[in-house]
């Protein structure tokens, strides 16, 4: 455990927008895919770092609904990499008691990815440690829209009334139902935006942006982000006593 971290003030849920793979590759005169390949180490280190600290949920934004708009060669490579990584990391996930779950419209992923993901989810389902949430074909707008569809369906078929839809009830339709909102959002590569990530769930998250490009992100950067989080005063719109 990082010595300066207060273990009683750790987030239950850390969300990460893993960004900067392309720029990392470009810096070394390589193709963008090279950056994606080198992102796996960062994922492994971050998962391990969160597991060690006893953090309950780690959400990684791996592929957005907008990322389909990238060149086919890059999208294909990302999907292949996903399959290969899930396969190669299974052992580590089991050893670290990590449960793999996902959010996003995963049925629209290539068949092989979908199957590999489902298998890994089933195999890790009984693990009791960190819940690793992969956001795949995910976007915040998609999440809110699919939640609305569920709510409308219930009102049409189950006698669920309009006035019964509270914000708490709405959360039960989101893909993150049952998971606390992220207290901390980390974005790498120095971009100041949330790029359609968890629009609802990030309402009160503390945002930490680092210049570090994702393939360079390691456990010590996670610790830095957590230390920074611990220095924040979370007011939730209220006035704290002086
Ligand atoms: C993040 O890195 C990975 C994905 C979005 C899949 P990028 O590929 O966006 O890298 P940059 O932002 O172009 O450097
Ligand atoms: C956000 O990164 C999406 C993921 C990390 C999966 P992008 O690189 O796609 O976002 P923009 O284009 O910089 O907003
Ligand atoms: Mg990017």
């Amino acid at each position: 455990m990082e010595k300066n971290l207060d273990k009683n003030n750790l987030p239950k849920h850390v969300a990460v927008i893993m960004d900067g793979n392309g720029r990392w590759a470009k810096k070394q005169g390589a193709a963008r895919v090279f950056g994606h390949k080198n992102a796996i180490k960062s994922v492994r280190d971050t998962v391990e770092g969160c597991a060690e600290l006893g953090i309950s949920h780690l959400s990684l934004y791996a592929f957005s609904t907008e990322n389909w708009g990238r060149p086919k060669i890059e999208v294909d490579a990302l999907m292949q990499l996903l399959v290969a990584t899930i396969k190669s990391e299974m052992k580590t996930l089991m050893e670290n008691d990590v449960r793999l779950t996902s959010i996003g419209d995963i049925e629209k992923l290539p068949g092989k990815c979908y199957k590999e993901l489902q298998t890994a989810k089933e195999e890790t389902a009984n693990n009791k440690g960190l819940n690793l949430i992969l956001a795949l074909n995910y976007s915040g707008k998609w999440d809110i829209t699919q939640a609305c569809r569920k709510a409308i369906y219930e009102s049409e078929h189950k006698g669920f009334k309009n006035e019964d839809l509270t914000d708490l009830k709405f959360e039960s339709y989101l893909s993150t139902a049952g998971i606390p909102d992220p207290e901390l959002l980390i974005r790498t590569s120095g971009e100041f935006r949330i790029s359609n990530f968890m629009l609802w769930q990030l309402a009160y998250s503390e945002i930490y942006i680092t210049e570090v490009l994702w393939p360079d992100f390691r456990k010590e950067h996670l610790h830095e982000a957590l230390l920074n989080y611990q220095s924040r005063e979370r007011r939730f719109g209220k006035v704290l006593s002086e």
Side-chain angles (χ1 to χ4, degrees):
M1 167 109 171
E2 156 68 34
K3 61 179 182 316
N4 297 317
L5 278 176
D6 173 3
K7 66 173 183 345
N8 298 314
N9 184 22
L10 286 168
K12 291 187 184 66
H13 185 176
V14 176
V16 186
I17 301 178
M18 311 181 286
D19 198 19
N21 299 354
R23 277 162 284 169
W24 186 90
K26 199 177 172 195
K27 273 200 333 195
Q28 11 227 323
R32 297 178 54 82
V33 176
F34 184 63
H36 299 317
K37 285 190 178 142
N38 279 277
I40 295 161
K41 275 197 214 93
S42 313
V43 170
R44 197 181 295 142
D45 224 49
T46 307
V47 169
E48 204 180 273
C50 286
E52 279 169 4
L53 292 169
I55 288 169
S56 305
H57 310 274
L58 170 66
S59 294
L60 299 178
Y61 200 11
F63 194 85
S64 76
T65 54
E66 284 80 28
N67 289 149
W68 294 111
R70 295 188 177 199
K72 187 175 183 301
I73 188 165
E74 183 175 347
V75 173
D76 289 350
L78 278 166
M79 294 300 155
Q80 271 174 23
L81 203 59
L82 179 68
V83 175
T85 309
I86 294 176
K87 268 193 182 152
S88 66
E89 296 303 306
M90 271 308 291
K91 197 167 164 273
T92 322
L93 294 181
M94 294 309 286
E95 280 167 6
N96 288 292
D97 207 17
V98 177
R99 187 160 46 95
L100 185 72
T101 59
S102 71
I103 52 171
D105 197 359
I106 58 165
E107 285 176 19
K108 301 220 170 71
L109 294 175
K112 232 179 150 182
C113 285
Y114 177 76
K115 274 196 214 115
E116 204 58 56
L117 185 65
Q118 291 302 76
T119 308
K121 283 201 229 173
E122 282 161 24
E123 283 181 23
T124 61
N126 294 322
N127 288 352
K128 299 282 179 286
L130 176 73
N131 174 24
L132 171 59
I133 306 162
L134 287 186
L136 288 165
N137 195 17
Y138 178 87
S139 74
K141 288 188 182 179
W142 167 83
D143 203 355
I144 292 169
T145 309
Q146 67 81 31
C148 288
R149 282 198 207 106
K150 282 187 201 156
I152 293 168
Y153 181 88
E154 285 209 354
S155 83
E156 285 175 348
H157 296 89
K158 298 188 183 168
F160 173 70
K161 288 193 244 31
N162 225 329
E163 55 269 31
D164 293 337
L165 189 63
T166 57
D167 61 350
L168 216 67
K169 178 73 183 162
F170 189 75
E171 281 176 356
S172 73
Y173 298 119
L174 288 169
S175 60
T176 47
I179 297 164
D181 288 343
E183 295 94 331
L184 173 65
L185 170 73
I186 300 173
R187 183 167 187 153
T188 57
S189 86
E191 302 287 2
F192 286 74
R193 56 178 173 268
I194 51 177
S195 301
N196 210 354
F197 198 28
M198 301 177 169
L199 297 179
W200 174 287
Q201 298 87 338
L202 294 173
Y204 263 107
S205 306
E206 295 298 328
I207 301 178
Y208 177 84
I209 290 162
T210 171
E211 290 294 324
V212 174
L213 302 173
W214 180 250
D216 288 328
F217 194 87
R218 290 293 177 273
K219 216 179 276 183
E220 57 264 31
H221 301 112
L222 171 74
H223 292 155
E224 263 171 48
L226 290 167
L227 258 181
N228 185 287
Y229 164 80
Q230 294 186 335
S231 72
R232 307 278 181 100
E233 185 183 71
R234 306 192 74 205
R235 289 189 290 276
F236 301 99
K238 302 183 179 96
V239 179
L240 297 185
S241 52
E242 280 159 33

